Amino acid sequence: MVPVHGSLAVYPGTFDPFTPGHRDLVARARVMFDQIIVLLAVNADKRPTAEATARAVHVRDAMPAAWGNVEVDTWTGLTTAYCLRRGATVIVRGLRTAADLRHEYQLAAMNEQLGIQTVWLPSRPQLAATSSTVARAYRSAQSAR
């Protein structure tokens, strides 16, 4: 696959934690676009288990050094505002379930009104069952032992 020339995409999320499914999505998106930014969203409504800078370090550490077209950044505010500031034209989102699609469709419609397109990538079946919520619950159960 040849990336769309000059393309910049943003893959936003809280990534708490960054799962194998997230990494797989970045691996697939990085060959579709010239550059992809994994954007750690700082959302006051969510209570992450680690600060954004610590999560960003974890995400960077999960990326092979050879993935030179992948950047990790943090942002507080609307993802579309970040995209417009950076010149990104696409938001990449993963879909695990039909419920995800309903939610993501609403976000995509809003983002399109603000001038940013959304590309959805379905999770690979073997990775679809693991969400950040499940990973956090597992980690919490392990640490309670």
Side-chain angles (χ1 to χ4, degrees):
M1 179 176 288
V2 177
V4 176
H5 181 67
S7 58
L8 172 59
V10 172
Y11 175 37
T14 53
F15 305 116
D16 182 35
F18 191 72
T19 67
H22 294 135
R23 186 180 184 281
D24 180 68
L25 195 138
V26 173
R28 291 161 51 204
R30 66 177 287 279
V31 299
M32 297 171 67
F33 303 98
D34 277 343
Q35 183 179 7
I36 185 154
I37 300 169
V38 179
L39 184 65
L40 277 93
V42 179
N43 184 339
D45 294 337
K46 294 190 177 186
R47 297 185 181 272
T49 58
E51 293 297 319
T53 52
R55 286 181 285 137
V57 167
H58 176 71
V59 171
R60 278 188 199 99
D61 290 347
M63 304 293 167
W67 290 7
N69 68 331
V70 177
E71 177 184 339
V72 178
D73 201 359
T74 60
W75 178 257
T76 302
L78 287 176
T79 301
T80 51
Y82 180 88
C83 291
L84 294 169
R85 182 176 188 205
R86 292 293 305 264
T89 57
V90 175
I91 293 174
V92 175
R93 299 291 292 170
L95 295 175
R96 291 179 301 115
T97 66
D100 286 350
L101 178 59
R102 283 190 291 274
H103 173 74
E104 292 295 335
Y105 186 84
Q106 291 174 340
L107 291 176
M110 180 185 69
N111 292 337
E112 185 174 353
Q113 290 295 314
L114 298 170
I116 307 295
Q117 296 297 309
T118 300
V119 170
W120 296 312
L121 294 177
S123 296
R124 295 187 193 274
Q126 65 270 28
L127 298 172
T130 303
S131 67
S132 290
T133 303
V134 169
R136 278 192 308 276
Y138 178 78
R139 186 170 56 194
S140 177
Q142 290 299 100
S143 66
R145 288 182 169 189

